[in-house]
Amino acid sequence: DSGVTQTPKHLITATGQRVTLRCSPRSGDLSVYWYQQSLDQGLQFLIQYYNGEERAKGNILERFSAQQFPDLHSELNLSSLELGDSALYFCASSDRGGSKTEAFFGQGTRLTVV
Amino acid sequence: DQQVKQNSPSLSVQEGRISILNCDYTNSMFDYFLWYKKYPAEGPTFLISISSIKDKNEDGRFTVFLNKSAKHLSLHIVPSQPGDSAVYFCAGRVEYGNKLVFGAGTILRVKS
């Protein structure tokens, strides 16, 4: 158990809809990252938040947005969904301080757009 | 813009032998490199890392080698075990912001 919790585990929705994916980081971690893994592809970095502020942005579509709340949990909002948005979405957290460099991943949310 | 490349989609190795997974990078701003292992239906789990100022880091059966001049790193698993069968991702950590940039992954199959 990495200590990172993602909900829901599975989500099936129709094209054009909007969904929200939720992530609770490990206790004390200030950074939250979102990654997308499409079929047979690697992990694509979407966005990072650090202590409530956006820190880095990757290949995140304009239809997608994220935020990190004061309690450090994060939400990834996906709107106007298309079939190609079907993927595994992972959240990771890090930055408790100290010399640790790795990020810890949640189990992911499998999104299926039909 | 593939800053981290894992050019071998898959690798098959006999149990007990050495597995060597390779990774190339283009971004000189990475300060750490990390390897993650991923089983189906699970999130990636951290395996081992190496600072960009080192050339080797060892942890049990896992050793990572870094060749900065060639912008290449490799993960050695000795001896390989069937439980090592998984997807292995190489990642570079961008110095500012701790953003991790991942390669596409290599599927390792260890045959018993």
Side-chain angles (χ1 to χ4, degrees):
Chain A
D1 182 6
S2 67
V4 179
T5 304
Q6 288 187 249
T7 56
K9 284 191 169 51
H10 302 277
L11 197 49
I12 302 175
T13 189
T15 54
Q17 295 299 304
R18 172 189 167 95
V19 297
T20 297
L21 312 183
R22 183 188 167 102
C23 171
S24 294
R26 290 188 317 157
S27 176
D29 280 357
L30 299 176
S31 276
V32 169
Y33 314 76
W34 287 97
Y35 288 86
Q36 179 193 54
Q37 185 182 22
S38 300
L39 191 65
D40 293 336
Q41 294 197 12
L43 291 155
Q44 300 294 321
F45 171 71
L46 295 178
I47 197 164
Q48 178 200 359
Y49 278 81
Y50 178 83
N51 204 20
E53 302 284 330
E54 182 184 304
R55 174 166 276 193
K57 215 166 185 174
N59 298 323
I60 187 166
L61 300 172
E62 285 192 15
R63 300 183 285 110
F64 297 0
S65 65
Q67 53 185 326
Q68 186 179 27
F69 296 87
D71 67 353
L72 301 177
H73 92 270
S74 178
E75 292 180 356
L76 179 67
N77 301 295
L78 314 176
S79 61
S80 302
L81 285 167
E82 302 174 359
L83 294 177
D85 297 327
S86 296
L88 268 169
Y89 291 85
F90 288 103
C91 166
S93 74
S94 72
D95 284 327
R96 251 178 214 180
S99 61
K100 291 289 186 182
T101 58
E102 66 268 27
F104 293 83
F105 282 78
Q107 300 260 28
T109 293
R110 181 174 292 282
L111 173 66
T112 303
V113 183
V114 297
Chain B
D1 175 18
Q2 281 190 289
Q3 300 180 46
V4 178
K5 290 184 184 179
Q6 293 177 257
N7 292 318
S8 299
S10 65
L11 175 67
S12 186
V13 171
Q14 199 66 37
E15 180 180 7
R17 305 296 291 270
I18 184 171
S19 295
I20 300 176
L21 298 137
N22 294 303
C23 180
D24 297 297
Y25 64 95
T26 57
N27 190 338
S28 299
M29 297 303 292
F30 291 140
D31 66 346
Y32 272 89
F33 298 92
L34 301 88
W35 284 93
Y36 281 80
K37 180 167 77 172
K38 184 181 181 305
Y39 293 117
E42 294 184 12
T45 54
F46 171 74
L47 203 53
I48 191 170
S49 66
I50 186 168
S51 165
S52 61
I53 63 172
K54 306 275 190 185
D55 54 19
K56 179 181 175 181
N57 187 28
E58 192 171 351
D59 184 3
R61 296 187 297 115
F62 302 93
T63 303
V64 57
F65 295 92
L66 175 63
N67 182 334
K68 280 192 75 172
S69 60
K71 292 188 175 176
H72 177 83
L73 64 154
S74 60
L75 174 68
H76 292 211
I77 306 174
V78 183
S80 301
Q81 299 173 353
D84 296 329
S85 297
V87 180
Y88 288 78
F89 290 98
C90 165
R93 189 184 83 158
V94 177
E95 193 169 358
Y96 173 72
N98 282 3
K99 180 178 77 171
L100 293 176
V101 180
F102 284 84
T106 297
I107 300 170
L108 173 66
R109 295 187 186 91
V110 180
K111 299 176 287 186
S112 55

